[in-house]
């Protein structure tokens, strides 16, 4: 079974015009050590929207310059994000996640691995995209987004036209959008919307490229559960076109 929705939480202030896409913000109470980590590290690592409006100054996010900024949306327990951050120290990472227990898990990875190139966005990721500048990102990861399997909930799927337009705007020409899913209906939806979009192209040249997780694509907790339950994930990589038009005849 794909992930099921959890409880409903109040819509954050400022999110009235956009459909709320995410589920619960808290799970089981955090153990004392994790709670301490959240209190100590989360405020300094969290991003906030610029108070006077405008876009986030990404070149000021980290203590030293970073070659590119990569974003992971809905990082869950943070395994993939932490691994990418450790493997790519020249890159600055933003992780967007609303679920506190997942955020705490990422903070533990950050502490254990001594990472200094990760910042956190704790609200709905669709509130982050509008405050990123054009072509600000070198890569975006959306791994096992909630599939919202019921037809009446499809409008909550993250990869819907409005967010795809925003992703196209914030991704630099040639930048990659990596998406994983184990849900057949969401897979069809993703392919339909991405292949129809003038700014994206699918990089796969054959089935082995989407059936097998690439070597530089660390596994996630959700993927482990899917595989243990006999589901077969798909690993999709799309490229932000340089000119927004398909050059193939
Ligand atoms: C099915 S889980 C997958 C987690 C992780 N990517 C993995 O593969 O293990 C989806 C995650 O996305 C988060 N999420 C869903 N919608 C979100 C949104 N609009 N903004 C930020 N996080 C979101 C959820 O809280 C949840 O942790």
């Amino acid at each position: 079974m794909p992930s099921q929705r959890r409880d409903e939480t109040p819509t954050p202030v400022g999110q009235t015009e956009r459909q709320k896409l995410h589920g619960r913000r808290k799970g089981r109470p955090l153990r004392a050590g994790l709670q301490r980590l959240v209190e100590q590290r989360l405020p300094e690592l969290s991003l906030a929207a610029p108070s006077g409006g405008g876009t986030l100054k990404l070149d000021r996010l980290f203590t030293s310059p970073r070659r590119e900024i990569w974003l992971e949306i809905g990082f869950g327990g943070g395994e993939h994000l932490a691994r990418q951050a450790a493997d790519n120290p020249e890159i600055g990472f933003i992780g967007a996640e609303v679920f506190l227990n997942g955020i705490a898990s990422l903070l533990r990875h950050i502490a254990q691995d001594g990472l200094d190139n990760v910042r956190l966005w704790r609200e709905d990721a669709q509130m982050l995209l509008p405050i990123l500048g054009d072509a600000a990102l070198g890569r975006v990861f959306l791994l096992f987004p909630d599939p919202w399997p019921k037809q009446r909930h499809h409008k909550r799927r993250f990869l819907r036209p409005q967010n795809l337009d925003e992703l196209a705007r914030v991704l630099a020409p040639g930048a990659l959008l990596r998406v994983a899913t184990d849900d057949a209906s969401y897979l069809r939806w993703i392919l339909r919307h991405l292949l129809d979009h003038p700014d994206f192209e699918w990089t796969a040249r054959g089935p082995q490229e989407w059936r097998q997780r690439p070597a530089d694509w660390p596994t996630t907790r959700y993927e482990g559960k899917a595989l243990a339950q006999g589901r077969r994930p798909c690993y999709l990589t799309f490229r932000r076109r340089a000119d927004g038009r398909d050059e193939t005849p």
Side-chain angles (χ1 to χ4, degrees), residues 24-227:
R24 68 178 172 169
R25 282 179 173 265
K26 279 187 185 163
R28 273 186 241 135
L30 298 177
R31 288 198 303 274
L34 275 184
Q35 181 62 38
R36 255 196 318 279
L37 201 53
V38 167
E39 285 161 15
Q40 286 167 357
R41 297 301 313 275
L42 192 51
E44 61 174 294
L45 296 181
S46 291
L47 301 177
S51 51
T55 55
L56 278 174
K57 303 282 177 272
L58 298 185
D59 53 346
R60 295 190 204 150
L61 285 190
F62 301 96
T63 45
S64 54
R66 304 291 160 165
R67 186 166 59 75
E68 290 182 355
I69 304 292
W70 295 0
L71 166 67
E72 180 163 349
I73 296 173
F75 57 73
E79 311 81 26
H80 173 273
L81 179 48
R83 188 74 258 147
Q84 289 283 9
D87 289 349
N88 300 283
E90 77 287 5
I91 304 292
F93 287 82
I94 301 175
E97 177 57 66
V98 293
F99 188 49
L100 181 65
N101 303 59
I103 294 170
S105 165
L106 175 63
L107 291 175
R108 189 177 44 206
H109 285 294
I110 289 174
Q112 281 171 352
D113 299 346
L115 301 173
D116 66 353
N117 56 340
V118 180
R119 296 292 179 270
L120 295 166
W121 176 260
R122 299 166 55 193
E123 297 296 334
D124 188 330
Q126 64 173 350
M127 309 287 286
L128 171 65
L129 299 180
I131 58 167
L132 293 174
D134 294 353
L137 302 179
R139 205 168 276 202
V140 171
F141 306 97
L142 182 66
L143 309 182
F144 303 97
D146 295 312
W148 296 106
K150 290 183 183 157
Q151 175 94 31
R152 69 174 188 280
H153 290 152
H154 284 182
K155 56 183 181 296
R156 292 186 166 206
R157 288 176 165 176
F158 196 88
L159 285 181
R160 60 206 176 90
Q162 182 187 9
N163 285 342
L164 275 178
D165 289 346
E166 277 293 82
L167 286 169
R169 184 184 65 76
V170 301
L171 280 164
L176 300 182
L177 168 63
R178 281 184 165 178
V179 184
T181 186
D182 62 333
D183 183 272
S185 150
Y186 204 0
L187 174 64
R188 284 193 295 275
W189 167 286
I190 292 166
L191 289 176
R192 177 157 60 86
H193 284 85
L194 266 296
L195 296 178
D196 273 359
H197 199 288
D199 293 333
F200 290 101
E201 61 186 347
W202 190 14
T203 63
R205 285 159 302 179
Q208 75 288 353
E209 291 193 20
W210 52 266
R211 284 190 183 141
Q212 278 171 23
R213 182 163 43 76
D216 65 345
W217 184 324
T219 187
T220 71
R221 193 182 297 176
Y222 186 89
E223 178 188 18
K225 280 189 204 163
L227 289 169

Side-chain angles (χ1 to χ4, degrees), residues 13-33:
V13 176
Q15 202 179 324
T16 45
E17 287 160 26
R18 288 166 188 261
Q19 166 77 50
K20 182 166 81 82
L21 300 182
H22 59 81
R24 68 178 172 169
R25 282 179 173 265
K26 279 187 185 163
R28 273 186 241 135
L30 298 177
R31 288 198 303 274

